[in-house]
């Protein structure tokens, strides 16, 4: 059986899902540890240090463009090896930072390697998948469990060995995964760009272009919500749980529970995505974010905990749609490049939300900031009204 027609070994599929968890974990270690790092570096408030993490998210977006191109033209296996070894080494290097600007440089380097996964790892998983929705849903669960583990693991490592250990241990884990991946993943006979392929469903060229523009615009507004909440939920819990619970490890456990429960939404969405009209289903998940943001803006203590679970269920639940549409409408030979372009624009722009998180919360407070985010959900909903419907789909690939 030709290499491109054979299924990936189970170990390779497992490592590709673990890589998604690591990708999000590395991007959120800083957010989970920002208060401790700020104190260690002599800054009075976490808000003053938060902008130094924006470079990671900017490069997480911008780096997707060359990563996607190299994934299609050079090979996805080779790029995943660069991901594992590069992000592991960059994380260990971050533990040696002594000043905010050194920290910013190291976090930006983490972002460079983190950019590889989404345009390379997800298309690699999907290139032989018979059920893309379920594959994306489970992969999304793995990625967002990485978000949960970042909150939980960082809290415990800070108490055990300090914030530097929170970067070293995951870095060593990534290096180990890279070694196993190199041994388990067969070498590619040809790069994806040179294989035979075709889209599963075709749209007329003007509608396909419109769909890609709408997906990118919706991804920008959705990514603002994702970046702002996943980076800000830790400080939000610490602020709203004062007098109720103030232990960093316990708060990290609560935040991990929020993300773990919310991550299950992606599995559910992955299994349902073929059963409902795509456009309406996507719009429902976004509209439902609005009342949750309003509730979270006012809630305190355990009511906030409940509101955050509801909010993150719908934010995480909306994530699989763009990857599913790319898998549905875009030829696998181009998939990494199209995904890279979409991610490059959306994450590079939305990285501003990480840079602005500290100053915005300092000026407006979390209540008004969450209400502002509700406006982004409204904008996403309006953008999605322009998405082509199922009636426009013309040809089912054999």
């Amino acid at each position: 059986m030709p290499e491109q027609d054979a299924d990936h070994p189970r170990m390779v599929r497992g490592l590709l899902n673990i890589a998604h968890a690591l990708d999000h974990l590395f991007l959120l270690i800083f957010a989970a540890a920002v208060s401790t790092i700020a104190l260690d570096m002599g800054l009075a408030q976490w808000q003053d240090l938060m902008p130094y993490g924006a470079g990671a998210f900017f490069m997480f977006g911008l780096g997707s463009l060359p990563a996607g191109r190299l994934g299609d033209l050079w090979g996805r296996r080779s790029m995943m090896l660069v991901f594992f070894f590069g992000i592991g080494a960059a994380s260990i290097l971050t533990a040696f930072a002594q000043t905010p600007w050194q920290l910013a440089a190291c976090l930006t380097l983490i972002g460079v390697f983190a950019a590889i996964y989404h345009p390379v790892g997800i298309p690699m998983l999907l290139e032989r998948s018979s059920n893309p929705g379920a594959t994306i849903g489970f992969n999304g669960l793995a990625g967002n469990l990485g978000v949960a583990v970042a909150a939980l693991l960082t809290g415990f490592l800070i108490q055990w060995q300090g914030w530097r250990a929170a970067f070293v241990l995951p870095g060593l884990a990534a290096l180990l995964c890279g070694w196993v991946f190199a041994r388990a993943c067969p070498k590619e006979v040809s790069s994806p760009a040179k294989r035979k392929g075709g889209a599963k469903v075709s749209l007329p060229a003007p509608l396909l272009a419109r769909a890609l523009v709408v997906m990118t615009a919706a991804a920008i507004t959705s990514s603002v919500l994702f970046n702002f909440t996943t980076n800000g939920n830790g400080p939000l819990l610490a602020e709203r749980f004062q007098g109720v619970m103030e232990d960093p490890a316990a708060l990290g456990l609560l935040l991990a529970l929020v993300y773990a429960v919310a991550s299950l939404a992606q599995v559910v969405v992955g299994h349902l995505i073929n059963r409902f009209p795509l456009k309406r289903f996507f719009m429902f998940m976004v509209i439902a974010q609005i009342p949750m943001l309003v509730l979270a803006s006012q809630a305190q203590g355990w009511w906030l905990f409940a509101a955050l679970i509801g909010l993150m269920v719908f934010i995480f639940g909306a994530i699989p749609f763009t990857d599913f549409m790319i898998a549905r409408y875009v030829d696998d030979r181009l998939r990494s490049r199209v995904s890279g372009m979409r991610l490059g624009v959306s994450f590079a722009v939305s990285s501003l939300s990480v840079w602005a998180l500290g100053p915005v919360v300092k000026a407006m407070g979390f209540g008004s900031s969450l209400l502002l985010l509700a406006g982004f959900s409204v904008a996403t909903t309006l953008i999605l009204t322009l998405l082509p419907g199922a009636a426009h789909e013309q040809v089912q690939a054999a």
Side-chain angles (χ1 to χ4, degrees):
M1 183 179 292
E3 178 272 333
Q4 57 263 38
D5 295 329
D7 195 12
H8 287 303
R10 183 176 297 178
M11 176 68 76
V12 174
R13 296 197 303 271
L15 285 167
L16 286 171
N17 284 314
I18 290 171
H20 197 187
L22 288 173
D23 197 40
H24 287 286
L25 184 150
F26 282 115
L27 285 169
L28 291 172
I29 294 172
F30 171 66
V34 64
S35 296
T36 303
I37 300 174
L39 192 64
D40 185 52
M41 291 189 172
L43 298 176
Q45 297 177 298
W46 67 266
Q47 292 95 328
D48 297 325
L49 186 62
M50 199 70 203
Y52 290 91
F57 289 87
F58 181 75
M59 290 309 301
F60 181 54
L62 191 64
S64 297
L65 294 165
R69 181 172 178 81
L70 287 170
D72 280 343
L73 301 179
W74 181 35
R76 291 169 183 161
R77 178 186 182 274
S78 299
M79 286 301 293
M80 285 306 301
L81 289 173
V82 174
F83 164 80
F84 281 119
F85 291 118
I87 204 167
S91 184
I92 293 170
L93 181 64
T94 305
F96 293 93
Q98 301 296 321
T99 68
W101 283 111
Q102 289 178 6
L103 181 68
C106 292
L107 292 173
T108 300
L109 189 61
I110 287 176
V112 169
F113 293 107
I116 294 171
Y117 181 78
H118 286 83
V120 176
I122 294 176
M124 190 172 183
L125 265 178
L126 291 174
E127 62 190 20
R128 301 176 185 93
S129 174
S130 59
N131 188 347
T135 300
I136 291 169
F138 185 79
N139 180 256
L141 170 66
N144 287 316
L145 285 178
V147 177
V149 171
L152 180 63
L153 182 66
T154 303
F156 278 103
L157 286 176
I158 287 172
Q159 282 202 333
W160 177 50
Q161 287 290 331
W163 69 266
R164 299 180 192 276
F167 285 97
V168 171
L169 291 185
L172 293 173
L175 295 178
L176 176 61
C177 287
W179 178 78
V180 176
F181 187 83
R183 296 175 64 86
C185 186
K187 292 183 178 179
E188 292 170 300
V189 174
S190 60
S191 66
K194 296 179 181 178
R195 301 172 190 166
K196 294 181 179 179
K200 295 182 182 297
V201 174
S202 67
L203 286 172
L207 287 180
L208 178 59
R210 189 173 93 185
L212 293 175
V213 170
V214 170
M215 278 191 290
T216 301
I220 291 172
T221 52
S222 297
S223 296
V224 169
L225 264 77
F226 181 86
N227 284 343
F228 198 101
T229 53
T230 53
N231 283 277
N233 282 342
L236 173 61
L237 274 179
E239 177 183 297
R240 299 282 180 91
F241 265 76
Q242 286 184 5
V244 179
M245 182 185 299
E246 299 182 19
D247 177 65
L251 287 172
L253 177 59
L254 285 184
L255 196 53
L257 287 173
V258 169
Y259 294 143
V261 173
S263 296
L264 297 175
Q266 290 192 271
V267 178
V268 174
V269 168
H271 283 283
L272 295 179
I273 205 165
N274 284 314
R275 302 183 186 181
F276 297 99
L278 188 66
K279 180 177 177 178
R280 293 180 187 175
F281 194 11
F282 196 175
M283 289 179 69
F284 166 76
M285 297 301 294
V286 175
I287 290 171
Q289 296 167 8
I290 299 169
M292 293 295 103
L293 283 161
V294 174
L295 287 173
S297 72
Q298 304 301 315
Q300 300 280 338
W302 293 107
W303 285 110
L304 172 67
F305 178 69
L308 282 182
I309 289 177
L311 172 61
M312 299 314 296
V313 160
F314 291 111
I315 288 178
F316 284 3
I319 292 172
F321 287 92
T322 49
D323 285 320
F324 180 79
M325 284 188 280
I326 288 174
R328 185 178 179 87
Y329 299 133
V330 179
D331 189 329
D332 181 58
R333 293 172 293 183
L334 302 169
R335 207 169 282 163
S336 286
R337 279 168 282 179
V338 171
S339 181
M341 287 186 286
R342 192 266 299 175
L343 291 163
V345 174
S346 63
F347 280 117
V349 174
S350 66
S351 66
L352 294 173
S353 64
V354 181
W355 173 81
L357 173 60
V360 167
V361 171
K362 193 172 183 179
M364 300 174 58
F366 271 114
S368 297
S369 298
L370 290 169
L371 291 176
L372 179 63
L373 290 183
F376 281 90
S377 293
V378 172
T380 305
T381 304
L382 295 174
I383 290 167
L384 291 177
T385 61
L386 301 174
L387 193 67
H392 297 104
E393 296 175 358
Q394 291 186 333
V395 179
Q396 185 82 26

